[in-house]
Amino acid sequence: MKNILVGQSGGPTAVINASLYGVIRAGMERQEQIGHIYGMVHGIEGFLQGRCMDLGKELSKEELELLKITPAAYLGSCRYMLPEDLSAPIYPTIFERLKALEIGCLFYIGGNDSMDTVSKLSRYGKSIGSEIRFIGIPKTVDNDLVETDHTPGYGSAAKYVAGTVREIVLDASVYHKESVTIVELMGRHAGWLTAASVLARKQEGDDPVLIYLPEAAFDMETFASDLKRALAKRSCVVVCVSEGIHDASGRFICEYGDQAQVDGFGHKMLTGCGKVLEHFVRERLGVKVRSVELNVSQRCSGMLMSATDLAEAEMAGRKGVAAALEGETGVMIAFRRAERGPYGTDYVTVDVDQICNREKVFPTEWIGGQGNDIGQGFIDYVQPLIAGEVVRPMADGVPVYLYRER
Amino acid sequence: MKNILVGQSGGPTAVINASLYGVIRAGMERQEQIGHIYGMVHGIEGFLQGRCMDLGKELSKEELELLKITPAAYLGSCRYMLPEDLSAPIYPTIFERLKALEIGCLFYIGGNDSMDTVSKLSRYGKSIGSEIRFIGIPKTVDNDLVETDHTPGYGSAAKYVAGTVREIVLDASVYHKESVTIVELMGRHAGWLTAASVLARKQEGDDPVLIYLPEAAFDMETFASDLKRALAKRSCVVVCVSEGIHDASGRFICEYGDQAQVDGFGHKMLTGCGKVLEHFVRERLGVKVRSVELNVSQRCSGMLMSATDLAEAEMAGRKGVAAALEGETGVMIAFRRAERGPYGTDYVTVDVDQICNREKVFPTEWIGGQGNDIGQGFIDYVQPLIAGEVVRPMADGVPVYLYRER
């Protein structure tokens, strides 16, 4: 199949490099079929600017093993959409570059938008009769890709959320005083990550007692009464919310603060919904309140990497190479969960056109309470995804990661 | 010595329970001298309200081992200052309660304010000829206690900061675009925790390239030129700042945003300095900018617990019991570092009056650059404190911690 090319795109995750590792390792194991293993630096955008590296040559064996457990995106990433119009001049440019490097297959590791890139390139390729194959490897902490049981990156992010919220609950409960702690979690449209905070509970009815996802309309008055009810039962209440919660009209809660908040230069302050709710609670309930935004650590921390997630991410990369060698193109590797018996994953290929530009939201049947809780169905779904610990190399007291020379 | 009583006070840390464990274990090992080991629930405040537990009886052997590696404050905490006037009626009340429980020694695990409590109780006790002993066990992530090389809790918090900032640097560097990431760290008056972010660098000159502590006056214009210089050398710049940075006049940078920021109810928004700087950078430099506040996880996370810190925290508790049995009172256990040879700690006792209400700021000779960097002196100081990994028990993919029944 000549040489292969692999790129990473979209936001970082704890295990996106494990998928890259899977592609590289599988490529190396098929030396009779695969020549060079090139990496795009900064995705398709960097590739267009000529940034490329020879992964098979430039990484030592030790570096390759370190790559596997290094979070973020080793090759660098981009957020770059190819034009809808396949007659745009950028397409022949890309294919000339691919031809110059004698590329037989391009692997693109990413989410929705990255699958759109795979779709366009494979459709253009077919239109000109090119034999180059294009394979998508799924990746997103948001877990919002359709046609797959879950996505690599989600398990580790969910585990980080569960473990960190458990610690925040411990922290929030040390004082005797009535208090509310609001934890804002990632998820603009889909509540998958926020839902994982349910795993922080040591038992049912425990903190976080209230969990709100974007999939259920959020109402400030209902929130106030939910809180009052919770505070009547316990003095310390922990609430988890998705950044993207919105009211029934579709207006984001984080926008509630916008009009009033301007910075020292008269510009609108962009504040998260956690801060907006914090101020609301202080005003309405008069209790001690704090908001915590977990921020980028949710997606880039390797501290609570899931061994299951790590293994599946690598396997997604390996299965991508296998699919390409079998002649597939325009497909993404997807996960199918064993329907009965112990947890297990089958790897299949799905037409990328079915995946790109679609979003898998959190199933409403898994939202419990009055839109403020998460049901057992989700717990059963997510539990295996966060299972297993990864031992990380440490030096001088800090985790050792692989860095690309810049 | 009859029974002993132990309490926790002030903010949580990753290892405050290891000190509690040290007191309990040392107490159990001296059964010939010590009867019951009581715990105050919610510190001296809860004790005054009659909240107490029998730690020697109520904790199983397994729970005791779990207690050791559980972050936050198992017994609950308080922020409660005893009156300056030792003739206040609260003092006889406390001593009657201590007498009723036949307490021979009270151990109070905490920071500055907690040592103030130890001081007042021991002074009052001496004034009435009481034989009850009062021992302070140091604890604070701020590392701001005088008369001790460092404090339990700091090593783990510093390690968490170093590891997390290293991951944020990876995350911040994935895109090719010019960007600034501002990480706001704990430390209102002392920069010890923020300084630990220097350990996130893989080599000198690496991100975080700019580090600002409260010990050096912060100037917005100097910050802008520091940033411009840094951006000329690299596209992604990571900056770490203490929450308490202030200008030469003493005005906190977080207050710069106050006047303009009001919430939807017309109230002032309390925003961290990270957000203020984020808006300043967007306005002045026009680059992509993000601010991240690590928040409570710095103090309560057990994810990057330092084995050195954990062992020293336990030892501080044990040495407290030993000091009490030797008849000491009105003292705090302090750490003395071996002056030469490999890292080692001696445990001594120091008069609490020398400690309470004083603050150890970060030495200015360890601040490098033009007040925007950290020198090698600090790196040599802090490196041993974050050394060593702690394996934590996990169940269902999340850390297992000990909870007090509420």
Side-chain angles (χ1 to χ4, degrees):
Chain A
M1 198 172 65
K2 302 180 286 185
N3 305 321
I4 61 174
L5 176 65
V6 53
Q8 296 174 312
S9 173
T13 82
V15 301
I16 182 171
N17 289 330
S19 292
L20 174 59
Y21 171 89
V23 170
I24 300 171
R25 292 284 298 163
M28 287 174 158
E29 290 162 14
R30 306 285 197 116
Q31 279 185 331
E32 71 288 357
Q33 291 155 289
I34 292 170
H36 292 273
I37 302 161
Y38 293 113
M40 300 173 161
V41 173
H42 297 118
I44 193 80
E45 191 177 18
F47 178 68
L48 276 163
Q49 292 160 5
R51 288 197 296 284
C52 216
M53 62 188 288
D54 191 331
L55 290 162
K57 288 216 158 53
E58 293 181 43
L59 292 180
S60 70
K61 198 164 169 265
E62 292 70 31
E63 285 173 326
L64 201 51
E65 293 308 311
L66 202 51
L67 170 69
K68 185 175 160 185
I69 53 89
T70 295
Y74 174 76
L75 286 172
S77 184
C78 69
R79 293 195 184 278
Y80 187 84
M81 293 291 273
L82 286 171
E84 292 299 325
D85 180 3
L86 294 184
S87 66
I90 198 170
Y91 290 102
T93 307
I94 293 172
F95 275 72
E96 275 158 33
R97 287 187 178 273
L98 293 176
K99 204 178 160 190
L101 285 171
E102 297 185 57
I103 300 301
C105 183
L106 187 160
F107 302 92
Y108 215 41
I109 312 170
N112 276 320
D113 293 346
S114 313
M115 295 311 135
D116 181 77
T117 298
V118 175
S119 166
K120 285 168 179 162
L121 290 176
S122 67
R123 280 187 282 131
Y124 177 81
K126 276 174 199 164
S127 78
I128 60 163
S130 164
E131 288 193 351
I132 303 174
R133 294 156 201 171
F134 299 90
I135 307 278
I137 315 288
K139 173 272 348 171
T140 170
V141 296
D142 293 328
N143 202 37
D144 61 353
L145 296 189
V146 297
E147 300 291 336
T148 184
D149 180 74
H150 58 281
T151 51
Y154 174 65
S156 296
K159 187 180 178 92
Y160 182 87
V161 164
T164 304
V165 171
R166 177 166 279 193
E167 294 177 334
I168 291 172
V169 167
L170 277 176
D171 184 277
S173 324
V174 299
Y175 298 113
H176 194 50
K177 212 172 154 187
E178 206 170 49
S179 74
V180 173
T181 302
I182 297 160
V183 185
E184 181 185 330
L185 298 158
M186 280 182 168
R188 277 188 210 154
H189 308 291
W192 294 100
L193 258 189
T194 304
S197 65
V198 72
L199 301 173
R201 294 179 187 160
K202 59 182 194 298
Q203 60 199 37
E204 222 185 303
D206 198 31
D207 267 323
V209 286
L210 298 169
I211 301 172
Y212 302 94
L213 312 188
E215 283 82 356
F218 188 89
D219 177 73
M220 295 294 253
E221 292 307 317
T222 310
F223 175 55
S225 45
D226 286 355
L227 263 186
K228 280 183 205 158
R229 251 195 319 276
L231 283 165
K233 286 191 201 159
R234 55 197 303 119
S235 58
C236 305
V237 169
V238 177
V239 182
C240 289
V241 294
S242 290
E243 58 183 330
I245 50 168
H246 52 77
D247 63 24
S249 79
R251 187 175 168 216
F252 287 109
I253 301 306
C254 63
E255 292 174 339
Y256 278 45
D258 265 13
Q259 291 166 315
Q261 293 161 42
V262 284
D263 65 17
F265 316 97
H267 293 80
K268 269 191 187 183
M269 294 271 289
L270 291 172
T271 309
C273 65
K275 271 277 174 240
V276 171
L277 295 180
E278 176 190 324
H279 289 271
F280 175 75
V281 170
R282 187 171 294 123
E283 174 68 14
R284 281 294 296 275
L285 277 73
V287 295
K288 186 185 158 198
V289 56
R290 173 196 287 274
S291 67
V292 179
E293 192 187 343
L294 284 206
N295 218 309
V296 293
S297 292
Q298 285 161 89
R299 68 180 186 197
C300 72
S301 178
M303 288 192 207
L304 280 179
M305 214 176 258
S306 150
T308 303
D309 189 29
L310 185 70
E312 290 179 348
E314 177 188 343
M315 199 51 84
R318 287 178 171 277
K319 294 287 179 181
V321 173
L325 289 174
E326 283 161 21
E328 294 205 63
T329 185
V331 295
M332 184 191 85
I333 303 300
F335 295 1
R336 294 278 175 274
R337 187 187 294 232
E339 289 199 8
R340 53 182 71 82
Y343 173 79
T345 303
D346 277 339
Y347 300 84
V348 298
T349 52
V350 179
D351 186 342
V352 277
D353 291 339
Q354 289 184 43
I355 291 161
C356 55
N357 310 315
R358 288 173 63 196
E359 223 169 29
K360 185 174 72 179
V361 295
F362 191 85
T364 46
E365 63 268 28
W366 286 350
I367 300 178
Q370 269 84 45
N372 57 19
D373 202 3
I374 302 299
Q376 188 62 39
F378 172 72
I379 296 173
D380 296 339
Y381 164 85
V382 77
Q383 199 76 71
L385 310 185
I386 69 160
E389 310 313 317
V390 176
V391 178
R392 301 180 304 157
M394 305 282 288
D396 296 332
V398 280
V400 181
Y401 292 134
L402 184 68
Y403 297 82
R404 184 168 41 77
E405 287 308 316
R406 285 167 219 281
Chain B
M1 200 174 64
K2 301 180 288 186
N3 304 321
I4 62 175
L5 176 64
V6 53
Q8 296 173 312
S9 174
T13 82
V15 300
I16 183 171
N17 289 330
S19 292
L20 175 59
Y21 171 88
V23 170
I24 300 171
R25 292 285 297 165
M28 287 175 158
E29 290 162 13
R30 306 283 197 117
Q31 279 185 332
E32 70 288 357
Q33 290 155 290
I34 293 170
H36 292 273
I37 302 162
Y38 293 114
M40 300 173 161
V41 173
H42 297 119
I44 194 80
E45 191 176 20
F47 179 68
L48 276 163
Q49 292 161 5
R51 288 198 297 281
C52 216
M53 62 187 290
D54 191 330
L55 290 161
K57 286 216 159 57
E58 292 180 43
L59 292 179
S60 71
K61 195 161 169 271
E62 292 70 32
E63 285 172 327
L64 201 50
E65 292 309 312
L66 202 50
L67 169 68
K68 185 176 159 184
I69 52 90
T70 295
Y74 174 76
L75 286 172
S77 184
C78 68
R79 293 196 185 274
Y80 186 83
M81 293 291 273
L82 286 171
E84 292 298 325
D85 181 3
L86 294 185
S87 66
I90 199 171
Y91 289 102
T93 307
I94 293 172
F95 274 72
E96 275 158 32
R97 286 188 179 273
L98 293 175
K99 204 178 158 189
L101 285 171
E102 296 184 57
I103 301 301
C105 183
L106 187 159
F107 301 92
Y108 214 41
I109 311 171
N112 277 321
D113 293 346
S114 313
M115 294 312 135
D116 181 78
T117 298
V118 174
S119 166
K120 285 167 179 164
L121 290 175
S122 67
R123 281 187 280 132
Y124 177 82
K126 277 174 196 162
S127 76
I128 61 162
S130 164
E131 289 192 350
I132 303 174
R133 294 156 203 171
F134 298 90
I135 307 278
I137 314 288
K139 173 269 356 169
T140 169
V141 295
D142 293 325
N143 202 37
D144 60 352
L145 296 189
V146 296
E147 301 292 336
T148 185
D149 180 74
H150 58 280
T151 51
Y154 174 65
S156 296
K159 188 182 177 89
Y160 182 87
V161 164
T164 305
V165 171
R166 178 166 279 195
E167 294 177 336
I168 291 172
V169 167
L170 277 175
D171 184 277
S173 325
V174 299
Y175 297 112
H176 194 49
K177 213 173 153 186
E178 205 170 49
S179 74
V180 174
T181 302
I182 298 160
V183 185
E184 180 186 330
L185 298 159
M186 280 183 170
R188 276 186 212 155
H189 308 291
W192 294 100
L193 258 188
T194 303
S197 66
V198 73
L199 301 173
R201 295 180 186 159
K202 60 180 193 301
Q203 61 199 37
E204 223 185 301
D206 199 31
D207 266 324
V209 285
L210 298 169
I211 302 173
Y212 301 94
L213 313 189
E215 283 82 358
F218 187 89
D219 177 73
M220 296 295 253
E221 292 308 316
T222 311
F223 175 55
S225 45
D226 287 355
L227 262 185
K228 278 183 206 158
R229 251 195 318 277
L231 283 165
K233 286 191 202 158
R234 55 198 302 116
S235 59
C236 305
V237 169
V238 177
V239 182
C240 290
V241 294
S242 290
E243 57 183 331
I245 50 167
H246 53 77
D247 63 24
S249 79
R251 187 174 169 218
F252 287 109
I253 302 305
C254 62
E255 292 174 339
Y256 279 44
D258 266 15
Q259 291 166 315
Q261 293 162 40
V262 285
D263 65 15
F265 315 99
H267 293 80
K268 270 192 186 181
M269 294 270 290
L270 290 171
T271 309
C273 65
K275 272 274 174 243
V276 172
L277 295 180
E278 176 190 324
H279 289 272
F280 174 75
V281 171
R282 188 171 294 123
E283 174 67 14
R284 280 293 296 275
L285 278 72
V287 297
K288 187 185 159 197
V289 55
R290 174 197 286 275
S291 68
V292 179
E293 191 188 343
L294 284 206
N295 218 308
V296 294
S297 292
Q298 284 161 90
R299 68 179 188 199
C300 72
S301 179
M303 286 190 208
L304 279 180
M305 214 176 258
S306 150
T308 304
D309 189 29
L310 185 69
E312 291 179 346
E314 178 189 342
M315 198 52 82
R318 287 179 171 275
K319 293 288 179 181
V321 173
L325 289 173
E326 283 160 20
E328 293 205 63
T329 184
V331 295
M332 184 191 85
I333 303 300
F335 295 0
R336 294 279 174 272
R337 186 186 295 231
E339 288 198 11
R340 51 183 71 83
Y343 174 79
T345 303
D346 277 339
Y347 300 84
V348 297
T349 51
V350 178
D351 186 341
V352 276
D353 290 339
Q354 290 186 39
I355 291 159
C356 56
N357 309 316
R358 287 172 65 197
E359 225 169 28
K360 185 174 70 178
V361 295
F362 191 85
T364 46
E365 63 267 27
W366 287 350
I367 300 179
Q370 270 84 45
N372 59 19
D373 201 3
I374 302 299
Q376 188 61 39
F378 172 72
I379 296 174
D380 296 339
Y381 164 86
V382 76
Q383 199 75 72
L385 310 185
I386 70 161
E389 310 313 316
V390 176
V391 178
R392 301 179 305 157
M394 304 283 288
D396 295 332
V398 280
V400 182
Y401 293 133
L402 183 69
Y403 297 82
R404 184 166 42 77
E405 286 307 317
R406 287 167 216 279

